[in-house]
Amino acid sequence: MKKPLTVILLAATATIAMTTPASATPEFTFADCPTLPAAADPNLWRCEEMAAKGTFQLGRLPELDLGTLRLTFAEGTQDGKFAQTFGALRSEEVRIPRTSLKTRLQYAGYSDFLSTDERMGELHLKLAVTGPLIPKTCTIGTDQDPIRFVVKRTAPTEVVTTNPLVVKFAIADNTFTAPKAAGCGPFGPMINHRIGLPSKPGDSSLKLATRVGIRGY
């Protein structure tokens, strides 16, 4: 049965009611909380800011330290149904070993944080690739052909604090595939060979330890 991610996170607490707007903290600023849809009741919505650290391994590449990955979105009720709105994805640039190339995770136009017993949600991403002479359009995955992450919980949810509400858990995915590089001009074949693209299920992995700050509107 599908459940909003917030419901699953708050199931570990004694209260599930909508929280009042919380003050920003050094860890969570809520600066990227999105504007709610027209006619949405703010009392039925909350903003969630996810701060994750972990590793990303793609094709032939070794595991790369992602630094801090920060994802912000809102979820609530619209016309009596669950709804969500994307805010922003902020990530750090990572160097590809033994090359002059760097890469950065970017949002690819779709997120779904309705969770089931089998997964915690789905997120479409792409990898921007930069380096000497590499076109600015160079990515692995695009909005039309993204890398589709379907993440599963690998550690139980724990409540860190209740005011403001902060929880933590771990997630991972090793089933995703990645297409060939796109928009890279003559450097596309070199990038594909170096990384091993397109990649097959099981060739790659994403592992994240995540903390989530939650506040109302």
Side-chain angles (χ1 to χ4, degrees):
M1 180 178 67
K2 288 189 174 183
K3 303 176 183 177
L5 176 58
T6 298
V7 171
I8 291 178
L9 296 180
L10 295 182
T13 69
T15 57
I16 308 179
M18 290 291 172
T19 58
T20 57
S23 299
T25 67
E27 183 177 14
F28 299 106
T29 67
F30 299 105
D32 291 324
C33 291
T35 301
L36 296 182
D41 182 352
N43 295 315
L44 300 178
W45 283 75
R46 69 180 76 223
C47 179
E48 303 190 16
E49 184 175 328
M50 305 174 67
K53 293 181 179 292
T55 60
F56 178 66
Q57 183 268 320
L58 181 64
R60 297 192 185 102
L61 296 181
E63 281 193 330
L64 304 177
D65 186 344
L66 287 174
T68 299
L69 185 69
R70 194 170 292 272
L71 175 70
T72 306
F73 63 96
E75 62 179 25
T77 301
Q78 181 83 344
D79 297 326
K81 298 179 180 179
F82 173 76
Q84 51 193 349
T85 300
F86 181 77
L89 173 69
R90 300 185 181 274
S91 60
E92 298 181 18
E93 199 168 52
V94 178
R95 180 175 295 279
I96 297 177
R98 297 188 296 279
T99 76
S100 59
L101 303 178
K102 295 180 180 180
T103 186
R104 180 193 298 271
L105 284 171
Q106 297 180 335
Y107 184 61
Y110 178 81
S111 59
D112 173 13
F113 296 107
L114 272 177
S115 300
T116 69
D117 294 338
E118 299 297 324
R119 59 165 223 173
M120 288 196 74
E122 181 173 345
L123 181 64
H124 292 184
L125 299 176
K126 56 190 175 185
L127 283 163
V129 180
T130 59
L133 304 179
I134 301 294
K136 294 182 179 179
T137 56
C138 183
T139 61
I140 299 168
T142 63
D143 288 358
Q144 295 72 36
D145 187 17
I147 303 174
R148 295 175 171 86
F149 294 99
V150 181
V151 294
K152 297 182 179 180
R153 187 195 313 269
T154 56
T157 299
E158 298 180 32
V159 177
V160 179
T161 65
T162 57
N163 187 25
L165 180 57
V166 177
V167 298
K168 67 177 182 178
F169 53 88
I171 54 178
D173 181 19
N174 63 359
T175 64
F176 62 89
T177 62
K180 291 183 178 180
C184 305
F187 299 97
M190 178 269 292
I191 293 172
N192 294 332
H193 176 75
R194 174 67 187 88
I195 298 177
L197 300 173
S199 69
K200 303 185 299 295
D203 285 350
S204 311
S205 66
L206 176 71
K207 303 174 185 176
L208 297 174
T210 302
R211 292 165 68 93
V212 182
I214 304 170
R215 56 155 284 179
Y217 272 89

